[in-house]
Amino acid sequence: MKDKIVEILRQIYDPEIPINIYDLGLVREIKVEDNRVFVRLIFTANKGCTLADLMAVQVKYKLMKAFPDYNVEVKSDFNEEWNIGYATETGRLMLEEIYGKEAVDALANKTKIEEIVSINKVRLEDFDPREYMKKAVDERYKRFKEWYDKHNILISH
């Protein structure tokens, strides 16, 4: 059953980093006891992760759908700090392919992932949230597309 849970978790992606939450190392605990499934998540930005709830809801929904006879509990743990050592080998390779080996090495030296992921720093007085989000979404889409094209991944509908 844990293998099926991991398979499901690998279908949920961090909204800001094009890597699934399992291989990125955001899933810190999976427990299956009696008719209960428990998953503990951490986030790359800890308390500053504005999309943490989105990931936790996705995890809970997908697990409840897959295991309707189980009570599914998902805990968002904002106290544990993410580090590159939590990523699986696959996750680390994905990070290297997307951001470069130097960036991943910097993560091993305690650089925050937000510093690597954020492409440009924005001055508050020049900040237009709509334009910023449009640019961020366009950039993410471009990176996803380049990565998928490079790996010849077919997405079926």
Side-chain angles (χ1 to χ4, degrees):
M1 185 170 170
K2 267 194 176 175
D3 289 343
K4 177 69 176 166
I5 293 170
V6 169
E7 181 184 320
I8 291 167
L9 296 173
R10 279 191 162 129
Q11 296 170 18
I12 301 169
Y13 283 73
D14 182 291
E16 296 183 316
I17 304 167
I19 297 174
N20 70 74
I21 63 172
Y22 185 82
D23 287 314
L24 191 54
L26 301 182
V27 178
R28 299 309 309 143
E29 189 175 354
I30 300 171
K31 284 186 189 174
V32 179
E33 297 170 341
D34 301 321
N35 67 334
R36 179 177 172 258
V37 174
F38 173 80
V39 176
R40 182 171 62 89
L41 301 174
I42 64 169
F43 308 96
T44 56
N46 292 339
K47 291 181 172 108
C49 188
T50 57
L51 300 169
D53 289 336
L54 175 67
M55 285 188 280
V57 167
Q58 285 182 43
V59 169
K60 185 163 184 154
Y61 172 77
K62 288 189 180 239
L63 291 177
M64 286 173 59
K65 189 174 177 186
F67 305 104
D69 297 332
Y70 284 76
N71 178 23
V72 176
E73 182 184 346
V74 178
K75 179 181 185 222
S76 297
D77 184 348
F78 294 102
N79 295 316
E80 185 173 351
E81 189 172 316
W82 178 87
N83 68 66
I84 187 65
Y86 291 161
T88 65
E89 186 173 333
T90 300
R92 190 178 174 103
L93 289 172
M94 289 177 189
L95 282 167
E96 284 181 8
E97 286 186 35
I98 295 166
Y99 300 107
K101 185 162 179 22
E102 299 79 24
V104 174
D105 289 344
L107 288 172
N109 294 322
K110 300 289 186 197
T111 300
K112 298 284 185 198
I113 197 162
E114 300 93 347
E115 295 172 30
I116 292 168
V117 172
S118 67
I119 295 167
N120 53 349
K121 304 290 180 199
V122 178
R123 288 186 9 200
L124 203 50
E125 61 269 12
D126 299 331
F127 185 71
D128 176 358
R130 288 186 186 134
E131 193 58 37
Y132 177 79
M133 286 308 295
K134 181 184 180 313
K135 185 177 179 182
V137 168
D138 289 347
E139 183 62 33
R140 273 190 222 124
Y141 174 77
K142 181 180 153 195
R143 281 193 185 158
F144 274 123
K145 181 154 179 24
E146 287 171 356
W147 189 84
Y148 281 122
D149 289 347
K150 179 180 178 182
H151 293 356
N152 297 318
I153 294 175
L154 299 176
I155 301 173
S156 60
H157 298 283

